Amino acid sequence: MTRTQQIGVFIGLLIVAALTAVRASDPPLLQQARDVTFDEYQRIAPRPFEPVPVHVIDIDEASLKEFGQWPWPRDRLALLVRRLSDLGAAAIAFDMLFAEPDRLSPRSLAAGIEGIAPDVIARLPDNDQIFADAIAGKPVVLGFGLSNEGDYRPPVKAGFAFTGEDPASALPHLSAATPLRPGLAENAAGIGHISLNPGNPSPVVRAVPLFVSDGNQFYPNLAMEALRVAQRASTYVLAGAPGIAGVMTSAKIGDFVVPVTSAGELWLYVTPDRAERYISARLILGAADPPPAVAEAINGSIIFVGTSAAGLQDIRTTALGENVPGVSLHAQTAEQILSGHFLSRPDWADGLEILSIAVLGTLLVFVTTFVSPAVALVCGLAITALALAASWFCFSALGLLFDPLAPIVGGSITHFAATSFRILVIDRERREVRRAFGHYLSPSLLYRIEHNRDALRLGGDDRELTVMFVDVRHFTAISERLAPTAVVGFLNTLLDALSRHVIENEGTLDKFIGDSIMAFWNAPVDVADHEAKAVRAALAMRETLERLNATDAFGFGTENPVGIGIGIHTGIACVGNMGAETRFNYSAVGDAVNVAARIESSCKEVGFDILISEETARRQPEIALLEAGAVGLKGKSTRTELFAVVGDAELAASAEFEELRSLHNELLAALRIRSSKLRRLASAVRLRAKIVSPQLPDFYRKLARRADHFRHADTEADEQPRAAT
């Protein structure tokens, strides 16, 4: 195996590992793609409609036209219950809430009229009581909704038995429920929740929770209660996973066992909406007896009462893309259980899909690397066909849901990456240069290196560089009050924003050292005016930091700005590839590098953010500079003349800066001889400094304590240099 092949295999396996990890984390995008795939399967082969004893009494537009707008008075619902019961309905389930009193009740209407005696009001009919009396002893199931307000819990009309571990924590949580009117909960034969997809932001209803739990008690949904009441069963049997709490596998009610997801949901396997499912409420409530076909359909059937009227806004979207009444999905839930046509996604489906990405991806990596991309392409197409065929067979023949996209997408990405690697190594020499310098150089410099190989000499090379060091002020204090991940986020935001200016000004990023940046100019190729470009980058960093602080990009508050110090020096350094034979860095070493680092450290003592050496300053007299004194740098036997970079050439040409520079020079002269004019000059300089730059007030506050930095060099020949802090 050649080194190139080793690298190709390594990169390919890394990609496979990354794809496997992404699939294992199952991000929302993959979940959505998987759901859309399963929707397409249902559209190709929907559940066939079967004449099972389930029907919907539809409060449709014709019913509203005949009996008036919704809500109807509950004495009319009482009449509906009596007639359905007389026709032999096995269960009557209302997909509606009864939380508020009937506003159309005679007693409620009279109570709102002044002057009617209370005893007269008490003798008037109460529609809520009429409805409660009508459902007593009838197979009526009432619905309740999930709520986040109050603490009402509906009564439970059935018992629960369990096998395996307790699955309560797996189910959707019931914080509270919409209340039922007095008398209704007591007289109903069953009570179930009517929520179809609680907590799911998708408009498509793909699975319905058969049970919810408040942590102690279980509550069935409307369809399950209708099935229980129709069978006159008394107990649900819930199966949990053996030895694993919080996982549900199935639910049994009467003669029916229903496979569910681990969260207690039933995957809906829907049919296209059919007119045979619906019976208009006007046919039941009309003065004449219902047609014989309607009476026959109701006898022995589970009846769901709901509305398809568009104005009542109980419209849901199915996996087939149809917009149907919400009550239809409750009916389809019961139909699916009665017909025994289920969809399920085994608990081990995720593991199988993750394993398929790892195994098939690894196979494609080795085939692409050691055989040929063409053979790998054939293998990839075969994997795609096999995955689609196997997934479709499991759906159509077994009712199992397996995602074919996992191995297909994973294999495609792996094959593309491995093939691309083989193609790209053809131009290895140029790519090696890009790999070595692409992260450190501006595009213009990189282009020059690629097209002028004589401009690049690998190995040690003494040349004049302009070196820059950037450091974050008070980083230790910042780190102490932030979590480690927050510190990393802060550094990434800051260093990314600052380092861009190095690249934009044709500099080379040497390295990041914790909270510091080292960069240099004039290597690996010659850069004209490298001193000016380094200073230009520093000024751009200052502006960027001011913008980040003003917009609170770090989240510390605008009253807690982040500060930096920048030191720049021009001198001779050795630059080239340094390190071990198998791992090296392109870097610079030498006295010029050390001086730049010490100048950056002096920013704290001097009280200014950008300091440059005399060697850098004298090559660009046009920018706005102020003498900052001769500072003793650690490791240097003589003091180093430093200059504060106040601004660019435009600022240097302004009248305000000219006046400040004149006052500054007078102040330094007075400081050296300790003139009596010192206090007056200092006051005048501070006043002018506030106008020119917000960085200068601190500089002048500290300047008075640094008088020794401005003495003539001949007076300090016998003194030891003082190290900058």
Side-chain angles (χ1 to χ4, degrees), residues 46-51 54-56 58 270-280 308 318 320 322-325 328-329 331-332 335:
R47 177 172 62 86
F49 181 81
E50 300 176 62
V54 176
H55 293 282
V56 174
D58 186 11
V270 294
T271 71
D273 209 22
R274 300 283 293 264
E276 296 94 321
R277 183 176 288 124
Y278 301 93
I279 299 172
S280 177
S308 65
T318 70
L320 303 182
E322 295 182 325
N323 294 323
V324 302
S328 170
L329 296 182
Q332 292 224 40
E335 288 176 8

Side-chain angles (χ1 to χ4, degrees), residues 400-442:
L400 299 177
L401 298 173
F402 292 101
D403 181 15
L405 296 180
I408 292 174
V409 174
S412 299
I413 293 176
T414 302
H415 174 260
F416 174 79
T419 303
S420 298
F421 177 81
R422 287 195 58 161
I423 294 173
L424 292 175
V425 295
I426 297 174
D427 196 11
R428 181 184 305 176
E429 186 171 308
R430 180 169 293 178
R431 289 192 321 105
E432 282 296 319
V433 173
R434 279 195 170 272
R435 185 184 63 80
F437 294 100
H439 295 293
Y440 311 101
L441 304 179
S442 66

Side-chain angles (χ1 to χ4, degrees), residues 13 16 357-368 376 379 383 414:
L13 293 180
V16 172
I357 293 177
V359 173
L360 297 177
T362 301
L363 173 64
L364 285 177
V365 168
F366 280 96
V367 171
T368 305
C379 291
I383 290 171
T414 302

